Amino acid sequence: MTVRRVNVVILVLLVIAFLIILHRNLLNLNDFLKQENPDTASGMVLPFETDFLSDHKVIRTGDEIPVVITAPEERLGATVTAMNSIYRNSKANVVFSIVTLNESVVHLRTWLSKTDLKHKIIVFDLKILTGKIPTDPQKVEAVKPLTFARFFLPVFLPEAEKVIYLDDDVIVQGDIQELFDSSIKLGHAAAFSEDCDSASSKGIVRGAGNQNSYIAFLDFKKEAIKKLGMRANTCSFNPGVFVANLTEWKQQNITSQLEFWMERSAKLVCVLLFYKSRTLSFKIPEPFLYVIFRNKIYKVKTDFNNQFPS
Ligand SMILES: *[C@@H]1O[C@H](CO)[C@@H](O)[C@H](O)[C@H]1NC(C)=O
Ligand SMILES: *[C@@H]1O[C@H](CO)[C@@H](O)[C@H](O)[C@H]1NC(C)=O
Ligand SMILES: *[C@@H]1O[C@H](CO)[C@@H](O)[C@H](O)[C@H]1NC(C)=O
């Protein structure tokens, strides 16, 4: 009898413990889902934001850190979440240049009104892509113009020397100041982190679909690629997070070089110039960046990635 009673007590305790754990996990999962797909929570204030507004009010002074980020219509919430993650972990005077399409400006302003993110909104003029994306209407639909915004950094920030570019699908867990302070090798237009470097994936949580080497994107059987002398199995770099020296970028005409490859590629849509896969074509900027920066991968300071919120 007593043994049975003890068993029952233990059982009840176990059930309670289980329920507590389950509850906590569900809460976490909930937060996670909201952050993963904030658009589903459109109109609601994310836990992220309330937290940020009440506890983390920081007076941001000192040298400006320009951060360029894109805001596609269907991912406005994600962009705001990415920006909040930066503010949350840094006291630096971060000023965002948010590149978006004209049609999204009003909606974006609404999102931003709930935050105190320092920002300017830059309207991405689609004319800039004329002749650089295929004219075939079926293909045009697949084009996500803002993914190419990073090619035009000096157009958005003509005065800046050093800027950070971030994809809208990242969550930054370290202090962005450290990323900004990382040096860019003299003569290089940008510092990237290698995808294969496990440390580089720690501080920044990237979106899915991330692949690790050139061969995942480029077709090494194509003549145009062979000529470049790239090695197929070299680790690619993460083009979603980088620090750029725009002085050097302009001197090396990086934008024109990228445009040159885009134009060639657009004209040869049928005979894909260097894409590994037809379905990748014009959806992603990686191949162009890999070609231009192939010999110039210089890692961002990895310390940036070693800070975890516990
Ligand atoms: C941008 O949108 C506004 C209204 O939403 C419109 O009046 C304006 O003509 C648009 N500009 C361009 C360049 O499309
Ligand atoms: C950027 O590049 C220019 C030209 O090479 C160089 O003079 C300058 O020091 C660089 N700036 C940074 C912040 O690396
Ligand atoms: C960049 O473009 C300018 C003018 O278009 C040209 O004079 C210069 O030689 C180019 N520089 C490089 C490195 O291609």
Side-chain angles (χ1 to χ4, degrees), residues 65 162 164 166 172-185 188 190-194 197-204 238 241-244 297-307:
I65 297 187
K162 198 175 187 184
I164 291 176
L166 286 180
V172 176
Q173 297 180 330
D175 188 339
I176 199 87
Q177 180 82 51
E178 284 182 38
L179 178 60
F180 190 70
D181 289 345
S182 60
S183 57
I184 303 170
K185 197 169 168 184
H188 283 197
F192 298 87
S193 72
E194 278 180 42
D197 176 6
S198 58
S200 72
S201 56
K202 286 183 191 158
I204 295 178
N238 176 353
V241 179
F242 62 86
V243 194
I297 305 170
Y298 182 67
K299 278 197 226 172
V300 296
K301 199 173 138 210
T302 46
D303 279 10
F304 172 67
N305 302 307
N306 292 337
Q307 297 204 350

Side-chain angles (χ1 to χ4, degrees), residues 216-232:
F217 294 100
L218 302 173
D219 186 348
F220 281 84
K221 288 192 212 88
K222 297 258 154 68
E223 222 30 63
I225 289 300
K226 279 189 192 162
K227 276 192 207 147
L228 298 174
M230 296 167 73
R231 265 173 306 174

Side-chain angles (χ1 to χ4, degrees), residues 250-253 256-257:
K250 285 181 261 189
Q251 270 170 23
Q252 293 183 29
N253 299 337
S256 330
Q257 292 190 55

Side-chain angles (χ1 to χ4, degrees), residues 161-162 184 186-188 245-248 251:
E161 169 152 288
K162 198 175 187 184
I184 303 170
L186 206 62
H188 283 197
N245 179 339
L246 295 188
T247 309
E248 197 61 50
Q251 270 170 23

